[in-house]
């Protein structure tokens, strides 16, 4: 009853705000008019029914939306605040977060466009005949991709409405305990209170901090909706975002160079990372290694224009220059945690990285504030992880569940031209953790049957399995480079979850002929006699 | 494996000594003789040779009624998995050409498919595999005879070359791995004379043109699928149900998709005769068992895919007393692949009650050699063998079908989780995903062990393989739910299955 009263009061306030546009005054009134709130400074002992919402989620990405929808299932009063701060070049997007708008979805679709380019070449070898000249139209692709994303944005809004989750396209920041201020595009501010909060604001691409970077460079936040073909492109960075983007741009026929400061795919198995790099190089992508840009200048405006990039060696004083149409920065991502008023409520962040440390229940140091997704310290930055964490968290909060999110053996795939799927330990981490003498690595090159007829890329696909000798040769790492690596890796991840051992692997019958069964390394052209057989390192 | 190699080398020494002793006492010439150089036979022979044994393989391809013949490697390599998957790939690339336009690739028309070019490329690859198999045998010091073998006594095989030259070979142990060949409906007039089978299709130099494929086996549907995919007018004639033995809900989805893809279906129809017209086309007459009417149409090619029969006739099995199933003609074996005659074994498609799959034949052949010569006692495990049907929309499965699970455990004791999903790549390509579907059949009791997994969609083989491993490890529904997905893939939907059939809720996956 008191809750309903509260709601009514808020609505009236909102109307008041709108009608008189006496915004600041209204906020003031709201604050002062609720002395009770101030008494609850120390949070979790809150009196029930005294907040606007049971849960306010800040950030409408994969994790935040999953959590909000799950909470609504328990008939909780939930609000989602989502706001996309435009990129330095002014690009912004709809509800759904990074994955849907500027991440997994558009990148996989553009990767698919590139794969289809390869398919066109292959198809001639399989008897298809069509006129020689085939060109790619960037705008056709981008519009199709953006239309699909638009439908997803809409789908999320409908889903929230159906589940009776309140959605506001407004920037949320903490102003005092249990209270956030939501600022919309037009600068209108509102205050909302909740018993609990979930921070799921994710990350945004990092800039170099050199002359010309924000003025002239783009990031992955811009690329997928770029209203013109990027032309000759310099990709700065060696993260998976960098390599994936470089990969599909080259696959669409563009001249692509990747500038790498040190190693490729930090954190991934380096043996695999180097193989990915080699394959990309063989497929026409240029790599400039151990250089970092120090200046970007515009030579000519246009769509695309012309840019001059000056870069300096990381080893000495050598300076090089290059001319590109587009410079894409993919040097890392920063957590969106520094401008959401965490200091006002006392949520600790790692000052260096901006990430939020949480316990194994996704709880921050402030008990009523939780966090999930890419902003977490020492957790994986993956959509399905954020979704899983969000759902499980809500089930624990409102459903009496006890299951915690299991961050172990999470599979992932890098959609480079030759896809890379992985689950579990990298070889170097396994050695570090268990000791070289306690691990055994089985590996094999293989040649997908479909590649034999176009006779391309023999000996490029590769798989390896890392086993712990001390534990019955249990599989602790799985790595595969090849077509459809994501589809292949998923099931293996499930098997690893079930405690897969090398012996069980050996006794499982392959499906013939697919890549997920492996060829024998020494007679690898004989794809036909393949069976799940990997030999030791 | 290093340790294993060392052990094998020691065995090799012992075997060498043993052989000298036998030669002196007039024992059989070979330790192992394998009749049939297909997947199972070759695997068994090569594995036995690894143990330092004296091994020979006999392989002979009786030409098809249309005169098609091929090289070493058996069905899979020459007239099975390999050419079919490659031609399936040709068809997929046809879809890719259409998809590509949605993804921004400007392809000028006309686009058409040239059968001869594809067939040539596929055949060249198959020939390279034939060659590869011969080299492998040579490397492993396995003697290869291109002769047709038949028993003249329990340890002696009489081999006949194409030219009629005779070779007599003796062996201590003999493995039969002669596989199967397509059946002809000989009661149908003109069937043998004018029809082809999968033994011929992959070796055709010219396009088969408008084709009638008779049968509803996976071979029939796969062939009809890729023929449709490369642009041929293709019709499947089926007597009763598609994909007998497979989950029937999945089977219906597979054929439903094919229908929307352009394959025509003549259901509940039985061919009665095939005649050659003056135009050289084939006129097929059939009976529609539903309406009882007789119907007719003309085709360029008629392909029979009405089943396969074991190739035992020429073996003269009666002489040595190897028992076969009188109905199927297949050889009866025990769990150690031994026939009714203790030193004679059989592996692969010729054995009674075993799955007719290359990887099972290979594994069975290898394990047999290890038991015979490597002091192993490990038996082949025929449970939970995954398989994939490469129809236009692929179907992969492992474990029990839903109907089999119901039959074994009762419908009250199983839970079926299912989902209709849309592969991300289909969205931009504006492809219909109505039949993209998956289901997991679990026990209903608390642990919810997974009994079967079924998946229809692109790359079904790649998707199912790893899950088959999980099921081998005793995967339960909760374990799968704890597995985090890989985004965005089709396989991730398997880790998100949560709608039970029992609930009656809409199983369509929405959003990410």
């Amino acid at each position: 009853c008191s809750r309903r009263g509260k709601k009514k009061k808020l609505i009236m306030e909102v109307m008041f705000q709108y009608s008189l546009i006496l915004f600041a005054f209204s906020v003031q009134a709201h604050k002062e008019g609720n002395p009770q709130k101030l008494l609850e400074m120390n949070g979790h002992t809150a009196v029930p029914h005294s907040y606007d919402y049971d849960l306010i989620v800040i950030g409408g990405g994969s994790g935040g939306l999953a959590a909000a929808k799950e909470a609504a299932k328990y008939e909780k009063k939930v609000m989602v605040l989502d706001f996309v701060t435009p990129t330095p070049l002014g690009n912004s997007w709809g509800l759904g977060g990074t994955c849907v708008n500027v991440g997994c979805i558009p990148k996989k679709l553009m990767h698919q466009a590139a794969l289809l380019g390869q398919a066109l070449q292959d198809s001639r070898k399989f008897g298809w005949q069509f006129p020689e000249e085939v060109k790619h139209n960037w705008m056709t692709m981008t519009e199709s991709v953006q239309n699909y994303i638009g439908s997803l944005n809409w789908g999320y809004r409908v889903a929230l409405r159906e589940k009776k989750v309140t959605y506001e396209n407004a920037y949320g920041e903490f102003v005092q305990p249990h209270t956030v201020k939501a600022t919309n595009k037009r600068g209108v501010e509102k205050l909302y209170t909740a018993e609990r909060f979930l921070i799921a604001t994710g990350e945004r691409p990092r800039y170099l901090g050199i002359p010309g970077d924000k003025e002239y460079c783009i990031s992955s936040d811009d690329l997928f909706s770029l209203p013109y073909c990027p032309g000759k492109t310099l990709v700065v960075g060696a993260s998976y975002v960098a390599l994936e983007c470089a990969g599909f741009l080259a696959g669409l026929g563009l001249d692509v160079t990747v500038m790498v400061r040190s190693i490729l795919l930090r954190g991934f198995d380096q043996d695999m990372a180097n193989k990915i790099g080699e394959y990309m190089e063989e497929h026409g992508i240029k790599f400039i290694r151990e250089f970092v840009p120090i200046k970007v200048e515009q030579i000519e405006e246009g769509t695309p224009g012309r840019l001059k990039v000056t870069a300096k060696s990381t080893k000495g004083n050598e300076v090089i220059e290059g001319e590109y149409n587009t410079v894409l920065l993919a040097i890392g991502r920063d957590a969106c945690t520094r401008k959401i008023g965490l200091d006002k409520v006392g949520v600790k962040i790692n000052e260096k990285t901006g990430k939020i440390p949480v316990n194994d229940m996704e709880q921050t140091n402030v008990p009523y504030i939780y966090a999930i997704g890419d902003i977490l310290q020492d957790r994986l930055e993956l959509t399905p992880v954020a979704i899983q964490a969000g759902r499980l968290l809500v089930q624990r909060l409102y459903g009496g569940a006890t299951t915690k999110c299991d961050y172990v053996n999470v599979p992932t795939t890098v959609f480079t031209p030759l896809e890379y799927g992985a689950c579990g330990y990298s070889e170097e981490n396994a050695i570090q953790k268990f000791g070289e003498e306690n691990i055994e690595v089985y590996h094999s090159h293989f040649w997908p049957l479909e590649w034999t007829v176009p006779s391309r890329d023999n000996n490029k696909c590769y798989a390896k399995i890392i086993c712990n000798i001390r534990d019955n040769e249990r599989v602790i790492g799985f790595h595969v480079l090849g077509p459809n690596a994501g589809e292949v890796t998923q099931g293996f991840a499930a098997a690893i979850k079930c405690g897969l051992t090398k012996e069980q692997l050996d006794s499982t019958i392959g499906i013939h002929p697919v890549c997920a069964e492996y060829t024998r390394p020494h007679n690898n052209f004989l794809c036909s006699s393949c069976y799940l057989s990997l030999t030791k390192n | 494996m290093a340790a294993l190699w060392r052990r094998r080398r020691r065995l090799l020494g012992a075997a060498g000594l043993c052989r000298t002793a036998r030669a002196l006492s007039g024992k059989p010439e070979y330790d192992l003789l394998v009749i049939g150089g297909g997947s199972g036979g070759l695997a068994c022979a090569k594995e036995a040779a690894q143990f330092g044994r004296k091994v020979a393989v006999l392989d002979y391809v009786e030409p098809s009624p249309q005169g098609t013949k091929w090289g070493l490697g058996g069905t899979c390599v020459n007239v099975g998995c390999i050419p079919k998957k490659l031609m399936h790939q040709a068809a997929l690339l046809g879809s890719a050409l259409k998809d590509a336009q949605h993804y921004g690739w400007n392809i000028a028309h006309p686009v058409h498919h040239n059968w001869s070019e594809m067939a040539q490329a596929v055949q060249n690859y198959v020939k390279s595999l034939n060659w590869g198999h011969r080299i492998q045998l040579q490397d492993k010091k396995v003697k290869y005879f291109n002769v047709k073998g038949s028993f003249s006594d329990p340890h002696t095989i009489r081999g006949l070359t194409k030219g009629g030259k005779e070779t007599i070979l003796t062996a201590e142990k003999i493995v039969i791995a002669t596989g199967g060949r397509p059946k002809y409906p000989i009661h149908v007039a003109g069937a043998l004379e004018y029809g082809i089978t999968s033994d011929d299709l992959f070796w055709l130099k010219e396009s088969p043109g408008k084709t009638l494929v008779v049968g509803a086996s996976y071979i029939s549907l796969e062939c009809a699928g890729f023929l449709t995919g490369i642009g041929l007018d293709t019709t499947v004639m089926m007597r009763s149900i598609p994909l007998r033995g497979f989950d029937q809900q999945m089977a219906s989805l597979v054929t439903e998709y094919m229908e929307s893809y352009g394959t025509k279906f003549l259901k509940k129809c039985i061919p009665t005769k095939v005649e050659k017209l003056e135009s050289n086309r084939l006129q097929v007459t059939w009976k529609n068992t539903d309406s009882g009417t007789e119907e007719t149409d003309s085709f360029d090619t008629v392909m029979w895919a009405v089943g396969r029969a074991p190739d035992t006739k020429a073996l003269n099995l009666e002489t040595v007393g190897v028992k076969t199933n009188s109905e199927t003609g297949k050889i009866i074996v025990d769990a150690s692949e031994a026939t009714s005659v203790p030193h004679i074994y059989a592996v692969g498609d010729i054995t009674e009650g075993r799955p007719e799959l290359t990887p099972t034949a290979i594994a069975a052949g290898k394990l047999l050699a290890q038991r015979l010569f490597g002091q192993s006692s490990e038996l082949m495990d025929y449970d939970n063998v995954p398989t994939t049907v490469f129809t236009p929309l692929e179907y992969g499965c492992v474990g029990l079908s839903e109907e089999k699970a119901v039959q074994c455990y009762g419908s009250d004791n199983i839970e079926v989780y299912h989902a209709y999903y849309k592969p991300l790549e289909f969205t931009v390509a504006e492809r219909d995903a109505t039949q993209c579907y998956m289901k997991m059949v679990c026990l209903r009791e608390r642990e919810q062990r997974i009994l079967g997994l079924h998946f229809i969609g692109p790359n079904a083989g790649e998707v199912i393989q790893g899950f088959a491993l999980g099921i081998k490890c005793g995967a339960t529904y909760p374990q799968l739910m704890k597995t985090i997905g890989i985004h965005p893939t089709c396989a991730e939907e398997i880790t998100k299955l949560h709608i039970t059939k029992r609930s009656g809720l809409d199983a369509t996956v929405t959003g990410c």
Side-chain angles (χ1 to χ4, degrees):
Chain A
C1 174
S2 69
R3 182 165 148 187
R4 205 171 299 139
K6 182 83 206 76
K7 188 178 170 188
K8 216 175 255 169
K9 185 165 180 234
L10 182 77
I11 291 167
M12 285 174 68
E13 269 176 20
V14 169
M15 286 166 65
F16 178 69
Q17 284 168 9
Y18 274 104
S19 58
L20 295 180
I21 324 175
L22 276 170
F23 184 65
F25 170 76
S26 162
V27 167
Q28 201 62 28
H30 183 108
K31 274 182 191 162
E32 288 169 7
N34 288 283
Q36 187 199 356
K37 280 280 158 58
L38 298 171
L39 295 175
E40 289 159 17
M41 285 287 282
N42 288 326
H44 57 291
T45 54
V47 183
H49 307 310
S50 58
Y51 300 107
D52 302 337
Y53 291 94
D54 294 311
L55 178 69
I56 289 180
V57 179
I58 308 176
S62 311
L65 290 177
K69 287 187 281 188
E70 190 75 17
K73 279 189 200 161
Y74 297 100
E75 311 211 321
K76 294 294 163 184
K77 206 172 166 222
V78 187
M79 168 179 255
V80 171
L81 295 173
D82 186 58
F83 188 84
V84 180
T85 306
T87 68
L89 295 181
N91 191 39
S92 68
W93 49 86
L95 184 62
T98 300
C99 169
V100 169
N101 294 284
V102 288
C104 328
I105 299 295
K107 79 91 184 289
K108 178 111 194 261
L109 288 171
M110 294 197 179
H111 169 64
Q112 174 71 2
L115 290 183
L116 287 168
Q118 177 69 61
L120 294 183
Q121 290 174 34
D122 284 2
S123 70
R124 296 186 195 272
K125 299 284 172 54
F126 279 90
W128 290 98
Q129 298 174 332
F130 46 93
E132 203 51 52
E133 205 193 24
V134 175
K135 274 208 174 131
H136 188 263
N137 184 322
W138 173 270
M139 286 317 294
T140 309
M141 171 184 75
T142 309
E143 274 167 22
S144 305
V145 169
Q146 288 304 321
N147 282 344
Y148 176 60
I149 291 173
S151 77
L152 291 179
N153 296 147
W154 177 247
Y156 282 125
R157 293 189 65 155
V158 171
L160 289 184
R161 200 178 309 145
E162 275 172 1
K163 298 216 155 69
K164 301 199 169 49
V165 174
T166 310
Y167 161 65
E168 284 230 9
N169 183 200
Y171 189 92
E173 61 192 299
F174 288 98
V175 287
Q176 64 180 49
H178 290 281
T179 310
V180 286
K181 178 177 80 180
T183 311
N184 76 5
K185 222 168 16 190
R186 292 185 304 277
V188 179
E189 296 180 2
K190 291 182 221 168
L191 289 185
Y192 297 105
T193 62
E195 186 187 0
R196 290 187 172 104
F197 288 85
L198 177 60
I199 312 169
T201 47
E203 296 182 315
R204 295 292 292 270
R206 188 177 300 154
Y207 279 77
L208 283 161
I210 59 165
D213 68 342
K214 289 199 173 167
E215 293 93 320
Y216 306 123
C217 299
I218 65 165
S219 73
S220 57
D221 278 358
D222 304 294
L223 179 66
F224 305 111
S225 57
L226 205 62
Y228 54 86
C229 177
K232 183 182 175 188
T233 303
L234 175 71
V235 178
V236 182
S239 60
Y240 79 87
V241 178
L243 298 189
E244 288 179 340
C245 293
F248 74 69
L249 291 174
L252 300 177
L254 302 182
D255 179 339
V256 178
T257 306
V258 180
M259 187 173 284
V260 183
R261 191 185 56 188
S262 60
I263 60 166
L264 303 182
L265 296 175
R266 187 179 302 279
F268 288 91
D269 187 290
Q270 282 302 298
D271 175 24
M272 305 304 278
N274 292 330
K275 285 186 156 64
I276 291 171
E278 277 164 35
Y279 184 89
M280 289 175 70
E281 241 166 324
E282 280 163 26
H283 284 252
I285 297 167
K286 285 162 275 189
F287 281 83
I288 300 175
R289 288 173 192 265
E290 298 182 324
F291 269 90
V292 287
I294 50 171
K295 189 167 61 176
V296 179
E297 297 158 288
Q298 191 175 56
I299 303 171
E300 191 187 322
E301 237 182 293
T303 52
R306 284 195 301 139
L307 301 171
K308 188 171 98 178
V309 179
T310 311
K312 186 172 167 296
S313 165
T314 57
K315 287 257 176 92
N317 289 322
E318 196 189 340
V319 170
I320 53 169
E321 286 179 355
E323 205 185 298
Y324 302 92
N325 296 117
T326 298
V327 177
L328 172 71
L329 300 182
I331 52 166
R333 300 173 62 82
D334 290 320
C336 302
T337 52
R338 297 191 199 265
K339 291 177 187 162
I340 53 170
L342 292 181
D343 51 326
K344 302 266 171 51
V345 282
V347 171
K348 280 196 195 118
I349 62 169
N350 178 324
E351 276 311 324
K352 217 173 128 208
T353 61
K355 295 223 169 187
I356 302 179
V358 290
N359 63 15
D360 63 354
M361 310 277 264
E362 284 81 27
Q363 193 174 33
T364 68
N365 64 305
V366 178
Y368 70 90
I369 301 178
Y370 300 81
I372 55 166
D374 294 0
I375 51 169
L376 298 191
Q377 179 173 300
D378 303 325
R379 298 282 197 273
L380 296 151
E381 298 177 13
L382 294 166
T383 286
V385 173
I387 292 176
Q388 182 93 329
R391 281 215 186 108
L392 292 173
L393 168 65
V394 166
Q395 286 166 11
R396 289 193 305 270
L397 292 180
Y398 302 121
T402 54
T403 311
K404 295 173 189 169
C405 184
D406 183 356
Y407 292 94
V408 176
N409 289 331
V410 172
T412 186
T413 297
V414 180
F415 292 99
T416 33
L418 192 60
E419 298 175 9
Y420 165 40
C423 181
Y425 285 91
S426 66
E427 196 173 334
E428 42 276 65
N429 284 354
I431 290 172
Q432 202 184 0
K433 170 104 183 185
F434 301 99
E436 190 150 18
E437 65 286 3
N438 294 322
I439 67 156
E440 195 68 84
V441 179
Y442 297 89
H443 68 155
S444 173
H445 281 277
F446 64 98
W447 198 16
L449 179 65
E450 292 74 10
W451 293 9
T452 58
V453 163
S455 67
R456 66 176 166 92
D457 301 312
N458 191 1
N459 262 325
K460 291 291 173 273
C461 296
Y462 179 76
K464 87 177 166 187
I465 280 165
I466 302 161
C467 301
N468 180 357
I469 299 173
R470 288 271 177 106
D471 184 18
N472 199 21
E473 283 214 285
R474 198 167 304 287
V475 177
I476 54 169
F478 172 88
H479 304 268
V480 62
L481 262 184
N484 302 305
E487 307 294 356
V488 169
T489 304
Q490 184 70 75
F492 282 88
I496 289 173
K497 208 78 185 169
C498 301
L500 179 70
T501 64
K502 177 65 170 47
E503 197 188 346
Q504 285 167 320
L505 183 75
D506 288 341
S507 68
T508 300
I509 304 298
I511 296 171
H512 192 62
V514 301
C515 292
E517 61 172 0
Y518 299 107
T519 56
R520 316 176 63 127
H522 32 276
N523 48 38
N524 142 323
F525 73 102
L526 266 180
C527 204
S528 68
S529 58
C530 50
Y531 172 60
L532 283 160
S533 68
L534 300 164
T535 51
K536 230 175 231 191
N537 231 352
Chain B
M1 202 177 263
L4 205 60
W5 278 110
R6 243 175 279 125
R7 212 181 310 140
R8 280 177 187 171
R9 241 175 265 128
R10 249 180 302 177
L11 274 167
L12 195 145
L17 278 177
C18 177
R19 201 161 59 226
T20 324
R22 255 199 331 246
L24 290 171
S25 62
K27 283 268 179 82
E29 192 184 348
Y30 290 95
D31 294 320
L32 176 70
L33 217 148
V34 178
I35 311 175
S39 311
L42 291 175
C44 183
K46 287 185 286 185
E47 191 73 9
Q50 303 261 40
F51 294 105
R53 296 307 177 124
K54 201 173 171 203
V55 185
V57 171
L58 279 63
D59 188 57
Y60 185 86
V61 180
E62 191 72 53
S64 77
Q66 299 294 332
T68 312
K69 54 185 192 296
W70 51 86
L72 182 64
T75 301
C76 167
V77 170
N78 294 284
V79 289
C81 329
I82 300 295
K84 93 59 200 299
K85 180 125 193 247
L86 287 173
M87 294 195 179
H88 168 63
Q89 175 69 2
L92 291 184
L93 287 169
S95 305
L97 286 174
K98 290 185 197 132
D99 287 0
Q101 310 188 29
H102 292 279
Y103 280 90
W105 293 100
N106 295 328
I107 301 162
H109 286 263
V111 175
H112 48 82
H113 187 263
N114 182 319
W115 172 278
S116 312
E117 211 171 300
M118 170 188 73
Q120 188 70 56
V122 170
Q123 289 159 20
N124 284 345
Y125 178 64
V126 168
K127 283 175 188 162
S128 80
L129 293 179
N130 295 146
W131 177 247
H133 279 303
R134 292 190 67 157
I135 299 290
Q136 275 194 321
L137 290 183
Q138 235 169 51
D139 285 351
K140 301 226 154 88
K141 304 207 165 43
V142 174
K143 191 91 172 117
Y144 162 64
F145 295 96
N146 184 202
V147 300
K148 181 154 67 169
S150 64
F151 282 93
S152 54
D153 77 45
H155 287 281
T156 310
I157 300 292
R158 179 170 163 266
L160 270 183
T161 66
K162 200 165 56 178
K165 228 180 90 188
E166 197 183 80
T167 320
I168 300 293
L169 300 159
T170 58
E172 204 169 295
K173 294 190 165 72
I174 294 168
V175 172
I176 307 169
T178 48
R181 295 291 289 269
K183 278 198 260 193
Y184 271 87
I186 35 174
H187 58 278
V188 178
L192 195 64
E193 207 179 340
Y194 304 121
I196 65 165
T197 67
S198 58
D199 277 0
D200 306 295
L201 181 67
F202 306 112
W203 295 90
L204 292 180
K205 290 200 163 56
E206 298 300 327
S207 168
K210 182 183 173 187
T211 304
L212 174 70
V213 183
V214 183
S217 61
Y218 78 89
I219 297 172
S220 163
L221 298 185
E222 287 179 340
C223 291
F226 73 71
L227 292 174
T228 309
I230 58 170
L232 299 181
D233 180 339
T234 310
T235 306
V236 173
M237 185 184 291
M238 48 195 259
R239 191 185 51 189
S240 58
I241 58 165
L243 298 176
R244 188 180 300 279
F246 287 90
D247 187 287
Q248 282 302 300
Q249 184 194 5
M250 304 309 275
S252 314
L253 289 169
V254 164
T255 52
E256 230 174 70
Y257 181 82
M258 285 180 72
E259 278 180 273
S260 69
Y261 184 71
T263 311
K264 295 171 202 156
F265 281 83
L266 290 167
K267 291 174 188 171
K268 307 227 165 119
C269 291
I270 307 169
T272 50
K273 66 180 172 196
V274 182
E275 297 156 300
K276 194 158 203 162
L277 301 172
E278 268 176 31
S279 62
N280 260 343
R281 288 196 112 192
L282 300 173
Q283 173 146 310
V284 182
T285 309
W286 65 88
K287 199 177 150 190
N288 185 326
T289 61
D290 242 1
S291 62
T293 53
E294 198 172 77
E295 293 160 14
T296 179
D297 195 2
S298 64
F299 300 89
D300 296 307
T301 301
V302 175
M303 181 182 133
W304 307 109
V306 294
R308 298 174 62 84
D311 210 2
T312 53
K313 274 190 303 287
L315 288 169
N316 208 11
L317 293 176
E318 317 75 64
T319 320
V320 286
V322 170
K323 287 206 179 100
T324 57
N325 177 318
S326 57
E327 215 173 290
T328 60
K330 292 194 172 190
I331 297 175
I332 296 162
V333 288
D334 65 11
S336 70
E337 329 298 348
T339 67
S340 52
V341 181
H343 73 278
I344 300 175
Y345 303 82
V347 293
D349 293 2
I350 193 128
T351 49
E352 176 66 28
R354 304 278 202 235
E356 296 182 10
L357 296 168
T358 285
T360 49
I362 292 175
K366 271 193 185 163
L367 289 171
L368 173 60
Q370 286 165 10
R371 289 192 303 272
L372 293 179
F373 306 112
Q375 293 169 340
S376 155
S377 57
E378 191 186 343
L379 293 173
M380 175 71 187
D381 178 2
Y382 288 98
D383 284 341
N384 290 327
V385 173
T387 188
T388 297
V389 181
F390 292 100
T391 34
L393 201 56
E394 299 173 9
Y395 165 38
C397 62
V398 56
L400 301 185
S401 65
E402 187 176 343
E403 40 279 66
K404 188 82 190 167
V406 168
Q407 195 190 323
C408 294
Y409 299 95
S411 56
D412 289 342
N413 299 314
I414 64 160
E415 196 75 271
V416 179
Y417 293 91
H418 67 155
Y420 286 94
Y421 69 102
K422 186 164 198 168
L424 176 65
E425 293 73 13
F426 278 32
T427 56
V428 166
E430 293 172 22
R431 270 165 77 167
D432 180 30
T434 311
Q435 287 86 19
C436 290
Y437 176 76
M438 61 183 75
K439 71 177 172 186
M440 195 190 298
V441 183
C442 308
L443 279 177
R444 208 178 171 193
E445 57 176 31
R446 277 187 80 190
E447 197 197 11
Q448 290 198 290
R449 190 164 56 80
I450 299 166
L451 303 171
L453 182 62
H454 305 266
F455 177 95
I456 289 183
N459 305 302
E462 309 293 358
V463 170
I464 282 290
Q465 184 71 75
F467 287 98
L469 266 172
I471 289 175
K472 195 89 178 175
C473 302
T476 61
Y477 174 73
Q479 275 175 319
L480 241 63
M481 290 310 105
K482 271 172 86 181
T483 305
I484 296 208
I486 299 177
H487 192 59
T489 62
C490 297
E492 74 175 316
E493 302 300 339
I494 295 178
T495 67
K496 300 198 288 194
L497 282 168
H498 66 285
I499 303 282
T500 63
K501 267 198 178 175
R502 201 182 306 278
S503 73
L505 295 173
D506 180 12
T508 309
V509 174
T510 51
C512 281

